[in-house]
Amino acid sequence: MSATPESSSIGDVEKKPIGITHTMEKDLIDGSVTTPNSEYERYLELHHQFEGPARAKLVRKLDWRLLPTLSFLYLMCSLDKSNAGNAKLFGFLEDVGMTPTQFNLALMYLFFTYGLCEPISNIALRRLGPKIWFPIIVCAWGLITTLTCLVNNYGSYVVVRLVLGLTEAGLYPGSYFILSMWYTPKELATRMAIFYGANTAAGAFGGVIAYGVGNLDGAHGWRAWKWLFFIEGLITIFAGLVCFVLLPHFPHQYTAEKKSKWLEPDELEYAKLRVKYCNGPNAPTYAFRWSDVLAAAKDRKTYLMMMLFWWGGSVPTYSLSYTLPTMVNNLGYSAVKAQALTTPPYIFATCVCVFVGWMSDRYQKRFFSIMGCYTLGLIGIIILWITVHHKDLYGVSYFAIFLAAAGYSAQAPIVGAWTSVNVPNPSKRAAAIGLLMLFGSVGGGSIGSNIYLASEAPYYPLGFGFSVGATVLGAMIPATIHWWLMRRENAKREQVDVAEVEQKYTQAELGELGENSPLFRFTL
């Protein structure tokens, strides 16, 4: 499905992994080093067994099993969450009796339950596993989406949006966590980008579906917006039922009694150990502990990454998602044609998203990848802000939409990968991803859905100005601070006497320290 790195998984973390000295690195790759950790010895044995084509075959199996399933689920999640923008063009507000302000408020309310339930859902996923948890939440939000076609007033739509947020909350952070349990750091950003590409593809498919559904307006006495919710909801319910079959357990959940039908025994064992020991012999515990959840809540990195996800991701992404059809409509196209014209920018954004993820994995430069994305999105927003004042420049405005959609979409998987690779403990990682998305979703979604005001169309001074300010002040500056602090810490750790550290700590203690180990090096 995508290119498979041929580099050794032992070298997946920048510089020295936990507990691996410079003199040991070659021995580890050769498999000649001795260690009291018998499981790690088994990993080294399997690592040599899976050199070259065997490892590529394993990663392809993981790709074809995980990525299509998770990507399709996220595609439906994004469609079900953002199809309100398409429904609006089909007379939804007039039929339900809502004002534009009430509509924006209803969109905002979703993000309160959505954000608040993200860390809770990730903890449930960590304990129950994806094969149980994901089918439950997917079928639930599919049912809610289907019932949206029965909405007949503002109050009922608010209730639907609140419950939809509750049920959809677990899919995005949960998928990032699932991928981090199967892929090594040098593989992760590419896979997260392919997965997140489903979100940008949702914009493309949403426009195409809305264009097709628009022709059903009046069929069997139903308006087009009713058909839109009904059809997308039924597809989602079917996808949730299929999850019981297609989604695997976490690798560590498989036992002698609970065997995998899609991986050979050696493949499954290596798939588990190569992620567990990607940082060296001092692996973190896989037991769930509430203390690890609390550690994520206390960690400075969680809140700096939350700033990136909030101001550089959620605010501009959600605002574009909800207002793009209207923006294109304001360029002089009919409502139905505007739906179709939202598709090309999202297709371009999907391609850019995957390319940036691949480049980020190849060169292991997360900060520069993210900053490049912010810059691209910022250029698009500024051009759009200027050209909407000149009707004869509608072609330039449309081009700017391509840049904005691509830049703000491509940053998201890099934020997820940068967080994941620098938090080796699975429970802390699950909590960190959930917490950073909690604030990002509540703050970003609620703000993003309310800054492009209908009363300010087509110039949107508040929306454009806020997006620029949020990107620079809320995302680019915190990203730079985060990068600088980790770079400084890496420089300090380079001065550490490795032999002294290994004499002071046992392997288990170094594993417990995780990214706080003196031998750990942050990926920048």
Side-chain angles (χ1 to χ4, degrees):
M1 173 165 292
S2 51
T4 303
E6 291 298 327
S7 59
S8 168
S9 61
I10 295 176
D12 276 346
V13 168
E14 223 179 57
K15 301 181 183 178
K16 292 180 293 182
I18 299 177
I20 298 181
T21 68
H22 286 299
T23 58
M24 288 172 64
E25 286 179 359
K26 183 177 182 299
D27 292 334
L28 287 173
I29 295 173
D30 293 339
S32 58
V33 71
T34 58
T35 169
N37 187 338
S38 60
E39 190 178 60
Y40 185 66
E41 290 176 345
R42 175 59 177 162
Y43 159 67
L44 292 175
E45 178 186 337
L46 288 169
H47 181 68
H48 290 287
Q49 180 181 327
F50 279 87
E51 284 289 352
R55 189 182 309 154
K57 179 183 176 183
L58 170 63
V59 176
R60 278 197 302 271
K61 279 190 175 183
L62 299 181
D63 287 344
W64 284 109
R65 186 72 175 197
L66 293 168
L67 294 179
T69 305
L70 293 177
S71 297
F72 183 75
L73 292 179
Y74 194 39
L75 170 68
M76 297 311 302
C77 179
S78 300
L79 285 175
D80 294 343
K81 189 159 67 249
S82 64
N83 55 15
N86 294 320
K88 179 182 177 183
L89 293 181
F90 290 140
F92 177 59
L93 270 63
E94 293 79 7
D95 291 350
V96 176
M98 278 193 292
T99 66
T101 300
Q102 288 178 321
F103 177 72
N104 284 340
L105 288 173
L107 297 184
M108 178 184 71
Y109 294 148
L110 173 141
F111 294 101
F112 291 110
T113 51
Y114 185 87
L116 290 171
C117 291
E118 280 182 305
I120 298 171
S121 180
N122 247 24
I123 292 170
L125 171 65
R126 175 70 179 89
R127 306 202 70 172
L128 298 175
K131 204 171 187 68
I132 297 175
W133 186 240
F134 264 36
I136 293 173
I137 61 174
V138 174
C139 288
W141 99 58
L143 179 62
I144 298 302
T145 301
T146 303
L147 294 177
T148 308
C149 68
L150 303 179
V151 165
N152 56 15
N153 56 49
Y154 172 62
S156 60
Y157 188 54
V158 168
V159 172
V160 162
R161 296 295 290 184
L162 288 172
V163 180
L164 186 65
L166 186 151
T167 53
E168 286 189 338
L171 194 279
Y172 182 38
S175 295
Y176 272 12
F177 181 60
I178 291 170
L179 293 173
S180 75
M181 295 293 282
W182 284 99
Y183 290 102
T184 62
K186 280 193 176 179
E187 301 162 349
L188 191 56
T190 304
R191 275 71 189 182
M192 286 187 173
I194 293 172
F195 161 75
Y196 189 79
N199 181 53
T200 53
F205 281 105
V208 172
I209 292 173
Y211 180 79
V213 170
N215 297 316
L216 291 176
D217 195 27
H220 300 285
W222 271 22
R223 293 297 308 275
W225 63 266
K226 287 179 176 285
W227 284 111
L228 183 65
F229 290 123
F230 183 73
I231 292 171
E232 290 183 0
L234 287 182
I235 296 173
T236 302
I237 293 173
F238 175 76
L241 296 175
V242 173
C243 283
F244 283 109
V245 179
L246 294 183
L247 266 187
H249 298 284
F250 285 131
H252 67 277
Q253 290 182 314
Y254 288 100
T255 61
E257 295 76 25
K258 188 188 294 183
K259 297 181 179 179
S260 169
K261 295 180 180 179
W262 60 287
L263 290 176
E264 298 297 327
D266 280 358
E267 290 177 327
L268 177 60
E269 187 179 9
Y270 181 55
K272 177 176 74 172
L273 296 180
R274 77 192 194 103
V275 174
K276 184 174 182 179
Y277 291 103
C278 67
N279 293 326
N282 308 314
T285 178
Y286 270 55
F288 177 82
R289 300 179 305 195
W290 285 104
S291 59
D292 294 326
V293 176
L294 184 61
K298 293 179 177 179
D299 196 332
R300 176 196 67 214
K301 297 191 299 296
T302 301
Y303 297 97
L304 284 170
M305 296 306 294
M306 175 268 291
M307 293 290 287
L308 273 63
F309 182 76
W310 182 352
W311 298 109
S314 292
V315 169
T317 300
Y318 281 122
S319 61
L320 277 174
S321 174
Y322 286 124
T323 59
L324 187 55
T326 303
M327 282 186 183
V328 177
N329 184 224
N330 289 337
L331 295 179
Y333 300 101
S334 66
V336 174
K337 193 171 184 180
Q339 300 286 8
L341 287 174
T342 61
T343 300
Y346 281 119
I347 293 175
F348 176 71
T350 302
C351 296
V352 172
C353 187
V354 175
F355 175 75
V356 171
W358 176 78
M359 290 289 288
S360 175
D361 271 346
R362 181 177 177 84
Y363 296 104
Q364 290 293 289
K365 300 295 183 184
R366 312 298 188 190
F367 168 72
F368 293 108
S369 298
I370 289 175
M371 293 296 280
C373 294
Y374 289 150
T375 302
L376 182 63
L378 201 58
I379 291 171
I381 286 292
I382 292 173
I383 293 175
L384 192 58
W385 192 0
I386 296 170
T387 56
V388 291
H389 292 272
H390 307 279
K391 291 187 177 181
D392 56 324
L393 296 178
Y394 61 88
V396 180
S397 297
Y398 189 53
F399 169 73
I401 290 173
F402 278 74
L403 301 182
Y408 288 121
S409 296
Q411 56 78 36
I414 314 303
V415 170
W418 203 15
T419 302
S420 299
V421 300
N422 286 322
V423 184
N425 181 286
S427 296
K428 183 180 178 182
R429 188 192 317 139
I433 293 172
L435 286 169
L436 75 90
M437 291 186 181
L438 183 162
F439 294 103
S441 296
V442 173
S446 58
I447 294 171
S449 60
N450 284 285
I451 58 176
Y452 286 87
L453 305 176
S455 59
E456 296 184 344
Y459 305 121
Y460 301 112
L462 174 63
F464 289 130
F466 199 99
S467 294
V468 171
T471 303
V472 175
L473 300 177
M476 297 178 85
I477 290 177
T480 304
I481 293 171
H482 186 48
W483 170 81
W484 183 80
L485 289 172
M486 291 195 297
R487 183 171 176 266
R488 185 184 66 172
E489 186 61 32
N490 279 353
K492 287 182 180 178
R493 293 179 185 182
E494 286 295 338
Q495 308 304 316
V496 169
D497 186 323
V498 175
E500 184 179 324
V501 171
E502 291 175 339
Q503 187 176 13
K504 181 178 180 180
Y505 298 99
T506 65
Q507 285 190 354
E509 288 172 335
L510 287 170
E512 282 291 314
L513 286 172
E515 72 271 24
N516 296 319
S517 165
L519 302 183
F520 186 88
R521 298 295 181 269
F522 291 106
T523 299
L524 303 178

